Amino acid sequence: MKYIEVDEELYRYIASKTERIGESASDILRRLLELSVEAVEHAEPLDISHPSLEASANTQSVAVSSEATSIENDQSAVEAEIETSSAEVSTVSNTAALSGNEANIATPNTPVDFSTLVHEHMLAQQKGAVGRFMFLLESLSVLTPSTFDQILKIQGRGRLYFARSKAELLSASQSANPKEIGDSGYWVTTNNNTAKKRTILSEVLLQLGCNESQAKSIADNI
C-alpha cells in the first residue's frame, strides 16, 4: 500500500463520490478510473495511539491520587484534632477536680505556698487538737507529695513520731495511738499533748522548706 498527499479541494471531490459506508479513497478512485475494485484487507496497526484520551486518563489519575492524598491528610488532621481536644478536655477535667490545697500542689522545682494550709472554717470543724493536727498534716501531704517522706527524719529522743505503718509505731510505743495521715500511706503518733503536737508540726514544716516564723504561725492553729 502506497500513500499520496492530495489538496483539500481534491479530497472533498473524492469524498463526494462515496457510494457506500466504509468505501476507501482507493476504491473510489479505482471506480472513477474504471479500474477493477479488489477486496483488499487493510492491515490494522497493532496499537492505536489516542493522545487526547491518554492525556485525559493521566489527568484523571493524578486528580484521583491528589484527592486520595487530600482525604488521607484531612483524616490525619481530624484525628490529630480529636486527640488534642481529648487531651485538652482531660487537662480541664483534672484541673476542675482539684479543690482546696490540691489546686496548689507544688512540684519539686516550684516553691510551696504554705499559706494555703490554713483554712479557718475547715479547722473549726475538726474535733479537738488531734483533729486539727491531722487536718494540717493531711493538707501538707497533698501540698508536698514528692517530699512528704521527709517527715520520717523527725524523731524524738527514743521516740518515733512518724512511720510507714501502724504496726511500726505500736512496736515503738503501745500507747502511740497511731493514725494514718489521709491517704498518704504515712502514720503519726497522736498521744502527745497539744504543745508537743505544735512542736512536731513546726518541725515537719521546717523539714519541708517552710520558714521558721510561718511554721510557728501555722502550728499555732492546732
Side-chain angles (χ1 to χ4, degrees):
M1 182 70 68
K2 303 294 183 180
Y3 295 90
I4 60 174
E5 290 184 359
V6 296
D7 58 33
E8 184 69 18
E9 183 180 4
L10 182 57
Y11 174 80
R12 286 199 299 271
Y13 174 79
I14 296 173
S16 69
K17 299 300 181 180
T18 303
E19 292 183 351
R20 58 184 174 82
I21 297 175
E23 188 176 23
S24 68
S26 180
D27 290 343
I28 296 172
L29 289 174
R30 293 182 69 87
R31 179 166 44 78
L32 293 175
L33 297 172
E34 297 182 349
L35 298 176
S36 63
V37 179
E38 298 177 357
V40 179
E41 184 176 348
H42 303 290
E44 294 291 339
L46 295 178
D47 186 21
I48 299 177
S49 175
H50 299 282
S52 61
L53 295 179
E54 291 175 0
S56 176
N58 289 336
T59 301
Q60 291 178 358
S61 176
V62 172
V64 170
S65 177
S66 299
E67 183 176 358
T69 302
S70 177
I71 292 174
E72 292 178 357
N73 291 338
D74 290 345
Q75 184 175 0
S76 298
V78 170
E79 291 175 353
E81 183 175 354
I82 291 174
E83 291 177 359
T84 301
S85 299
S86 299
E88 290 175 352
V89 170
S90 177
T91 300
V92 171
S93 298
N94 291 337
T95 301
L98 297 176
S99 61
N101 293 329
E102 291 181 349
N104 300 299
I105 293 177
T107 63
N109 296 325
T110 59
V112 179
D113 185 4
F114 291 100
S115 64
T116 61
L117 290 172
V118 180
H119 297 276
E120 294 183 2
H121 176 69
M122 296 296 295
L123 285 169
Q125 297 181 26
Q126 306 307 314
K127 187 176 180 180
V130 173
R132 293 189 291 273
F133 179 59
M134 296 302 300
F135 173 79
L136 290 170
L137 283 174
E138 182 178 355
S139 297
L140 267 174
S141 71
V142 173
L143 185 62
T144 59
S146 61
T147 57
F148 193 68
D149 59 347
Q150 298 297 312
I151 63 174
L152 297 176
K153 297 180 179 180
I154 302 171
Q155 298 180 8
R157 183 177 299 177
R159 295 292 304 274
L160 191 63
Y161 298 134
F162 297 96
R164 291 185 179 274
S165 68
K166 179 179 180 179
E168 190 176 353
L169 288 176
L170 288 176
S171 65
S173 172
Q174 288 297 317
S175 61
N177 191 24
K179 293 184 180 296
E180 186 176 10
I181 304 172
D183 297 325
S184 66
Y186 294 94
W187 293 70
V188 60
T189 296
T190 63
N191 69 335
N192 302 295
N193 58 36
T194 301
K196 188 61 177 177
K197 288 182 176 64
R198 289 173 178 168
T199 300
I200 293 173
L201 182 60
S202 292
E203 292 183 13
V204 169
L205 287 162
L206 291 173
Q207 190 68 40
L208 295 176
C210 183
N211 64 65
E212 188 173 353
S213 61
Q214 188 177 26
K216 184 179 183 304
S217 176
I218 293 172
D220 286 343
N221 286 279
I222 295 177

